[in-house]
Amino acid sequence: MQSPDIFNPQAQYTSGQMDTAFEAFRSAYPAYDTTTKLDALRATEYGRLDRGGHVYLDYTGGGLYAESQLREHVALLSNEVFGNPHSKNLTSMAMTERVEQVRSSVLKYFNASPDEYIVIFTQNSTGALKLIGESYPFKAGDHYLLTFDNHNSVNGIREYARLKGATVTYIPIVPPDLRVYPSELAQALEQAQPGANNLFAYPAQSNFSGVQHQLEWIERAQARGWDVLLDAASFAPTNRLDLSRWHPDFVDISFYKIFGYPTGTGCLIARKAAFEKLHRPWYAGGTIAFSSVMGDGHYLTPGAAGFEDGTVNYLSLPAVEFGLKYIESIGIDVIHTRVMCLTGWLIKQLLGLRHSNGNPVIQLYGPANTDLRGGTVQVNFFDRDGELIDCNVVEAMANEVRISLRAGCHCNPGAREIALGFTQDDLLPCFSNKDRLTFEQFLATIEGKTTGALRASIGLVTTFEDVYRYMQFAETFVDRKIEKQF
Ligand SMILES: Cc1ncc(COP(=O)(O)O)c(C=O)c1O
């Protein structure tokens, strides 16, 4: 356990200082002034943030909803009678029609042609990824290729691949930027076996470092025989994903990350040609056109319905359409511009923080500029003697000044291990005796291996004041000395 010797949660900035900093920021990032409509929305739609004195910097964890999204949803549910879809009664048909309308609005939002793509509703990105894992026709001789930088829900597909005898290969990322070396990518992409099932998965934006891995990889990989799974969960909230320009085979989305509400809805957007390859290992209510106990068989419903197990989250789905329309009314490019201005400023300020002996206060994990990256700023804090301050302690301290950050590995163990300098020798022993460990032995085995980092993620209605307050908080670490407590 670590505890900082002093911390004054009441440390406050003066508004005069902030105004001066804001003016300097505006002249360094003039594009910010094109995004002022978001300040108006912050006041009208997200008043709860400022009423509660919140500095919300966890947009990669979850987006925030506008109040009008809730009102629109409640009005719809208050005025209409909706029944469980997939039947021919009036209220059921009304709901089926609505669900199909939402499906079309998702395609439209991502500029995806209905001739090329279909949308399968899932609970979240993970649900979409699991559908791929269980349905992609891996077999011996096939290949699952993925970047070290991936969310666990993408990593987890390797279990399905291995179970079915496919080869699993990881492409490393390299510090400090935590990107893939072009030569390593080129070499890995050459490994697709002709005639085999080859699946390549990577995140359009890292949820750990904010790195944006290039969308150009999609075409390159496909040209070499790979089906491409693009994890867009942390990219879509602040970037345009134009599926008429880019043609990944599979894309997973969690809607709450884009517009906050509703949770529990996501989708898999699948290219029809690649979708035809998928084979469901089971069937469920809602997925079949006909099944028989005596005949011992079933026919899967063609298209998306065959992949939507049970009853879809039908009352929530209309809120997805409201959310997408809301983002369209602002413009994703406006959101992107604001996020990148604030990210550029924050990174520069954090990197400039020094103890009076010259030691840096933070270490940044990821690119130190705004080229090909998003608004995720991952750091650890160090005391004046260079001792790492536990990110969980820093997160708790931020809570005291109502700043919501996120500490941990962010479900991205590959990026964390490379960022923090872990080696295979450090980690292999954790799993060597896995099935025979008691819980206490397990805890001892992972001791010291769970260190993470502290993530600030900037989003839809982040203001200059939010990032400024984070910097004020960060400055309280200057010349701090931690005492270790055992
Ligand atoms: C890049 C990335 N992929 C996948 C996921 C999984 O999303 P969910 O937990 O909504 O299924 C996340 C969640 O943070 C993510 O950031």
Side-chain angles (χ1 to χ4, degrees), residues 60 124-126 129 151 153 205 207 231 233-234 252 254 256-257:
T60 302
N124 44 34
S125 274
T126 300
L129 294 163
H151 191 274
S153 300
Q205 179 174 314
N207 69 325
D231 176 5
S234 66
D252 59 285
S254 276
Y256 71 89
K257 290 194 190 287

Side-chain angles (χ1 to χ4, degrees), residues 69-127:
Q69 286 171 248
L70 306 184
R71 281 196 300 274
E72 229 177 327
H73 193 205
V74 168
L76 178 79
L77 299 186
S78 307
N79 290 320
E80 303 289 336
V81 180
F82 288 128
N84 190 329
H86 293 313
S87 189
K88 291 287 186 292
N89 69 55
L90 274 183
T91 49
S92 174
M93 285 195 296
M95 192 70 246
T96 305
E97 202 177 301
R98 196 91 201 188
V99 169
E100 293 317 307
Q101 185 180 316
V102 183
R103 223 185 278 285
S104 303
S105 72
V106 174
L107 285 174
K108 186 167 151 282
Y109 179 83
F110 290 105
N111 211 6
S113 161
D115 295 331
E116 185 179 9
Y117 281 102
I118 64 166
V119 169
I120 297 158
F121 288 121
T122 59
Q123 247 192 330
N124 44 34
S125 274
T126 300

Side-chain angles (χ1 to χ4, degrees), residues 83-240:
N84 190 329
H86 293 313
S87 189
K88 291 287 186 292
N89 69 55
L90 274 183
T91 49
S92 174
M93 285 195 296
M95 192 70 246
T96 305
E97 202 177 301
R98 196 91 201 188
V99 169
E100 293 317 307
Q101 185 180 316
V102 183
R103 223 185 278 285
S104 303
S105 72
V106 174
L107 285 174
K108 186 167 151 282
Y109 179 83
F110 290 105
N111 211 6
S113 161
D115 295 331
E116 185 179 9
Y117 281 102
I118 64 166
V119 169
I120 297 158
F121 288 121
T122 59
Q123 247 192 330
N124 44 34
S125 274
T126 300
L129 294 163
K130 185 157 189 249
L131 281 180
I132 303 290
E134 66 183 23
S135 309
Y136 191 79
F138 287 121
K139 58 174 170 31
D142 292 346
H143 206 146
Y144 182 41
L145 175 70
L146 65 170
T147 46
F148 257 62
D149 183 8
N150 257 312
H151 191 274
N152 268 334
S153 300
V154 178
N155 288 322
I157 294 175
R158 74 185 186 202
E159 301 302 312
Y160 286 110
R162 283 192 183 134
L163 203 65
K164 296 177 186 170
T167 303
V168 175
T169 308
Y170 273 99
I171 310 176
I173 51 171
V174 187
D177 279 14
L178 303 177
R179 295 189 194 278
V180 167
Y181 268 149
S183 57
E184 302 245 23
L185 176 77
Q187 211 177 12
L189 291 183
E190 292 309 324
Q191 292 173 26
Q193 293 298 322
N197 297 305
N198 306 295
L199 181 63
F200 171 43
Y202 73 96
Q205 179 174 314
S206 170
N207 69 325
F208 187 93
S209 62
V211 161
Q212 292 185 344
H213 301 289
Q214 294 174 30
L215 296 175
E216 283 79 3
W217 294 359
I218 299 166
E219 281 167 18
R220 276 182 65 190
Q222 286 169 333
R224 284 161 182 76
W226 298 93
D227 295 317
V228 177
L229 164 54
L230 185 75
D231 176 5
S234 66
F235 179 83
T238 56
N239 297 277
R240 181 177 295 281

Side-chain angles (χ1 to χ4, degrees), residues 74 210 247 254 321 399 460:
V74 168
H247 301 271
S254 276
E321 188 179 357
N399 285 345
L460 182 56

